[in-house]
Amino acid sequence: MKKRMSGFLAVLLCAAVLLSLFPGCSRQAPEKVEYLIGVSQANMRESWRLALIRELKEEAAKHPGVRLIFTDATQNSDKQISDIRRLLACGVDLLIVSPCDVKKITPVVSGVYKSIPVIVMDRVVEGYDYSLFIGPDNRSIGKQAGESVLRMLGGKSGGVLEICGSASSQMSGERSEGFQSSLNQNPNISIRKISIENESRDSTEDHLLQHKSQLDGIRVIFAHNDYMALGACRAIEKLGLKNIRIIGVDGFTGENDGIGLVQKGMIDETITCPTGGREAIQFSLDILQNVAGVPKQEILHSHKVTKENVDAFVENLNKPQTAPPKTIRVGYAQVGTESAWRLANTESIQSAAKEFGIQLFYENADQSPKRQIEAIRKFIAMKVDAIVLSPVIDSGWDEVLREAKQANIPVILSDREITVQDDDMYLTFIGADFVEEGRRAMRWIAENAVPANKNATIRIMELQGTVGASPSVERSLGFREILQEYPNDKIVYTRSGDFTYDGGKQIVEEYLKTHKWDIDVVYAHNDDMALGAAEALEKNGIAPGKDVKIVSIDGTKNALNAIVSGKMNCVVECNPLLGPQLMKAITDLMSGKELPLRIITDEKVFTKENTQETIKSRKY
Ligand code: GYE
């Protein structure tokens, strides 16, 4: 009895301590708390992070029963790790974390993700052990700034000063990469770089006043955030220098924030970097209420705001959302009918259009890019409200997309990506991370295809998809990225099977015409080619899944059944059911809502250990 009393007192004491540490920790607060969300912020010093906190609070306030608890890691990873532990001890239902240092926080996030959902903000952790990542595309921000510098210098030579943030910052590294990739177009530009560890206005101003020679010959400054841009502006003023253009990043509307500085003419341009706070709360509720269609990554758009468009930008910011038009008309240029995945993808998009009451004009291009271009021109002539393109290959789209842009018809990419001169040729991409799919396939091979003796080589046959199609290009890239870590594993034969069953079959038959079978692993860019290859192997007395390992990508029912029957060994999922997300995005767009730059779907890896339970409910 005495022992039980002391135990109860100890729990009471703990609860009291937690309550004192986190007053919000109590679920018994005045109004009933339904969801307790912990927010671990890297620091509460930077304006961008304070804006994120503000937006999280504003959005949460719209949802009764949602309670947020914040921690401030003061830019110290060890503190952030203990903050996260304390939030867990507080019994939060979901964790939102904006990492100080992604390398140090990654294992902690993976651990937490085993017990509760985790939303990662701003800087993505390594791997995919989290529920959702919301953040900017820092390379695109740097690239846009570089394009502005090229425009400002008008192709002439000139000195450019890049004011970077902390040298260890993932954000700054990526912005620099994007910046450099644009400036490479004009070799006459000389770049000078400085790094301001705390990324603040005053440190930037002080640094430039103490090292004014760093401004010699400088015509344009690109600062990785608006506060460093303001610091540079103040230093230039104090030094009496003239005609130096300044570009910042973040684009908040306060007096001394990016938009305000552009409106006052203190800086020439800012590139917006939205916080994603609103989306984080909306998705937190979707996750906690098991709403379908939560993506794996939501990459937010960044816009250039200049003297010329600042007023229109601010006006648009404050524009209330409108009801979508009664009937939304959408032109949909599909790849073809080449695989089970494709058929499921088309079905998902057509049925979701019905559900959303969207009028869909569907064109099947039978894997011909030319027919897709014709289809898009037809949609432009029909004056549809939006065009959805699933491009057969990734290049050759600039001209026809420019026509769609001139006709003011937004283009959304579904499933596959393209390379275009101007990134604003399309609005959003919804689909998978094909590079990661390739990595996952090779990671499985590295762990499961063990050579007969340690010096033996694992011989891999690669069945590639359509040449020039983004899934083929990127599944090859991701696969080779991991392959290089395993010198004993070699791709000895690679051919394109065009993502078709017959294509996969023919490759194996071709090989056996001139070779005796000496392949340890067949890596197929999709299930259909893998199943075709398996048929050809069986016909030649080689047991697929046993004599040779079969690894593919998609996750169709046929392939999952082949895993259960032992004819295939691993299938990396690529989700074809993009319909609901696509139709929601189009409806949002038609209501005046800003769409993210990229929406990346959530996917699994199937092996004999975890396939059986999935097959029954598999829709495709
Ligand atoms: O893997 C394949 C289809 O674009 C992701 O295309 C899609 C691919 C998919 O032919 O089955």
Side-chain angles (χ1 to χ4, degrees):
M1 179 59 182
K2 206 143 158 281
K3 210 148 169 286
R4 206 174 301 132
M5 268 311 283
S6 58
F8 176 68
L9 283 176
V11 170
L12 209 62
L13 190 63
C14 282
V17 168
L18 278 172
L19 276 176
S20 66
L21 281 172
F22 298 121
C25 188
S26 142
R27 288 180 177 276
Q28 299 315 320
E31 87 281 348
K32 173 124 180 37
V33 174
E34 206 173 337
Y35 300 118
L36 197 55
I37 297 174
V39 181
S40 165
Q41 181 57 293
N43 70 63
M44 298 281 196
R45 174 178 48 75
E46 293 162 36
S47 311
W48 190 91
R49 296 183 180 287
L50 295 173
L52 170 57
I53 299 289
R54 217 178 19 253
E55 227 178 87
L56 287 166
K57 283 184 180 165
E58 280 164 13
E59 187 60 26
K62 296 179 192 157
H63 306 275
V66 172
R67 161 71 42 85
L68 303 180
I69 314 178
F70 295 94
T71 61
D72 172 6
T74 63
Q75 208 53 31
N76 173 323
S77 295
D78 297 335
K79 175 157 186 331
Q80 186 157 44
I81 293 169
S82 71
D83 285 350
I84 291 172
R85 294 223 170 89
R86 284 189 297 137
L87 287 170
L88 284 186
C90 217
V92 296
D93 301 300
L94 181 144
L95 174 71
I96 294 177
V97 55
S98 183
C100 294
D101 176 317
V102 287
K103 275 206 175 343
K104 291 193 182 136
I105 297 297
T106 293
V108 178
V109 166
S110 307
V112 175
Y113 182 52
K114 291 198 178 72
S115 54
I116 61 168
V118 180
I119 295 183
V120 179
M121 307 285 302
D122 172 38
R123 298 172 189 192
V124 68
V125 291
E126 287 153 9
Y128 269 68
D129 290 342
Y130 52 82
S131 312
L132 168 65
F133 168 70
I134 303 175
D137 180 337
N138 287 308
R139 281 188 190 78
S140 156
I141 289 174
K143 194 162 172 264
Q144 292 188 57
E147 286 157 5
S148 298
V149 170
L150 293 174
R151 183 173 37 80
M152 288 171 179
L153 292 178
K156 299 202 186 69
S157 64
V160 172
L161 176 65
E162 185 182 358
I163 307 180
C164 306
S166 144
S168 63
S169 141
Q170 181 198 58
M171 168 276 277
S172 234
E174 290 170 359
R175 284 180 190 173
S176 260
E177 267 174 46
F179 189 56
Q180 189 66 53
S181 72
S182 287
L183 294 198
N184 288 344
Q185 295 167 40
N186 177 348
N188 304 324
I189 293 177
S190 61
I191 306 181
R192 197 172 295 151
K193 266 191 191 199
I194 61 173
S195 165
I196 305 291
E197 198 49 36
N198 69 4
E199 302 174 1
S200 77
R201 178 195 66 199
D202 296 351
S203 305
T204 308
E205 182 181 345
D206 298 347
H207 177 96
L208 291 174
L209 290 175
Q210 284 148 22
H211 306 87
K212 62 178 182 291
S213 62
Q214 289 180 337
L215 289 165
D216 294 352
I218 295 298
R219 301 212 19 227
V220 187
I221 292 177
F222 168 45
H224 285 197
N225 71 25
D226 290 329
Y227 315 98
M228 295 192 284
L230 177 55
C233 172
R234 288 155 66 116
I236 286 167
E237 214 173 285
K238 286 190 179 145
L239 294 165
L241 299 171
K242 295 265 179 290
N243 304 326
I244 299 182
R245 318 282 299 270
I246 304 176
I247 302 168
V249 178
D250 286 343
F252 297 126
T253 51
E255 167 83 18
N256 282 324
D257 290 318
I259 302 291
L261 298 176
V262 170
Q263 283 171 324
K264 288 191 286 185
M266 291 174 74
I267 67 173
D268 294 80
E269 186 173 306
T270 181
I271 298 167
T272 64
C273 182
T275 70
R278 203 180 13 261
E279 292 83 348
I281 298 297
Q282 290 162 355
F283 278 123
S284 297
L285 292 168
D286 287 352
I287 292 169
L288 291 167
Q289 292 158 358
N290 295 318
V291 174
V294 175
K296 192 70 177 179
Q297 296 193 339
E298 180 124 322
I299 310 302
L300 306 172
H301 255 296
S302 289
H303 299 285
K304 267 184 211 168
V305 182
T306 64
K307 292 195 197 60
E308 291 71 34
N309 69 7
V310 64
D311 297 337
F313 179 82
V314 172
E315 200 188 308
N316 199 33
L317 263 185
N318 305 329
K319 212 194 276 171
Q321 280 184 21
T322 55
K326 268 225 153 322
T327 306
I328 303 173
R329 301 166 65 246
V330 172
Y332 170 34
Q334 176 58 300
V335 170
T337 55
E338 77 282 2
S339 67
W341 188 97
R342 183 66 51 198
L343 300 178
N345 177 246
T346 301
E347 201 293 314
S348 165
I349 290 175
Q350 289 175 327
S351 58
K354 281 205 191 79
E355 236 171 82
F356 279 74
I358 288 176
Q359 196 178 5
L360 196 70
F361 301 97
Y362 164 76
E363 290 283 342
N364 160 17
D366 229 356
Q367 300 229 68
S368 145
K370 190 165 164 297
R371 283 181 57 181
Q372 285 196 311
I373 291 171
E374 286 159 12
I376 294 173
R377 290 205 165 111
K378 190 171 141 195
F379 297 146
I380 295 171
M382 291 163 63
K383 295 193 173 31
V384 295
D385 298 304
I387 291 171
V388 177
L389 169 64
S390 186
V392 173
I393 55 172
D394 66 358
S395 57
W397 302 101
D398 293 79
E399 193 185 330
V400 73
L401 293 189
R402 204 169 290 119
E403 291 164 23
K405 193 159 189 237
Q406 277 149 9
N408 259 332
I409 301 177
V411 173
I412 293 179
L413 296 182
S414 164
D415 148 44
R416 292 183 181 179
E417 291 210 67
I418 57 177
T419 42
V420 276
Q421 268 151 23
D422 302 337
D423 290 339
D424 57 2
M425 281 295 162
Y426 62 90
L427 213 52
T428 294
F429 164 73
I430 301 180
D433 180 343
F434 298 131
V435 177
E436 177 62 17
E437 290 172 354
R439 292 191 196 110
R440 289 175 172 186
M442 183 52 213
R443 284 196 199 109
W444 185 88
I445 293 169
E447 282 147 28
N448 295 280
V450 189
N453 65 59
K454 75 173 176 42
N455 299 325
T457 298
I458 291 286
R459 298 169 56 80
I460 301 168
M461 171 187 274
E462 180 186 26
L463 312 183
Q464 287 190 331
T466 306
V467 176
S470 63
S472 312
V473 175
E474 293 170 16
R475 286 170 183 170
S476 286
L477 213 63
F479 188 86
R480 284 165 176 72
E481 187 190 307
I482 306 296
L483 180 68
Q484 67 188 354
E485 296 165 20
Y486 300 90
N488 276 6
D489 298 6
K490 294 215 175 355
I491 296 176
V492 295
Y493 193 78
T494 182
R495 292 286 185 282
S496 168
D498 219 8
F499 286 127
T500 64
Y501 186 97
D502 291 343
K505 198 166 139 205
Q506 274 156 24
I507 295 173
V508 169
E509 287 164 349
E510 285 301 316
Y511 188 79
L512 285 169
K513 280 196 195 123
T514 51
H515 304 75
K516 76 172 185 43
W517 187 255
D518 55 1
I519 300 289
D520 303 297
V521 179
V522 171
Y523 163 49
H525 285 195
N526 83 336
D527 293 346
D528 297 64
M529 293 191 292
L531 293 163
E535 184 197 323
L537 289 166
E538 271 182 318
K539 276 213 179 103
N540 290 277
I542 303 155
K546 296 179 185 57
D547 301 340
V548 52
K549 299 253 188 279
I550 311 275
V551 178
S552 80
I553 300 181
D554 274 354
T556 57
K557 208 168 197 166
N558 296 344
L560 299 188
N561 281 325
I563 287 183
V564 173
S565 66
K567 289 189 181 156
M568 285 176 66
N569 307 91
C570 170
V571 174
V572 175
E573 183 179 35
C574 177
N575 186 349
L577 308 183
L578 304 177
Q581 263 164 331
L582 194 56
M583 296 307 152
K584 179 175 177 309
I586 291 169
T587 310
D588 286 349
L589 177 66
M590 294 298 138
S591 328
K593 194 171 170 202
E594 158 115 305
L595 294 184
L597 180 63
R598 280 198 299 285
I599 300 175
I600 306 297
T601 47
D602 187 13
E603 295 166 343
K604 300 184 186 57
V605 176
F606 292 107
T607 61
K608 64 180 183 315
E609 285 77 29
N610 69 349
T611 295
Q612 188 69 52
E613 75 235 25
T614 304
I615 290 190
K616 285 196 225 66
S617 59
R618 202 71 171 161
K619 289 209 190 85
Y620 56 95

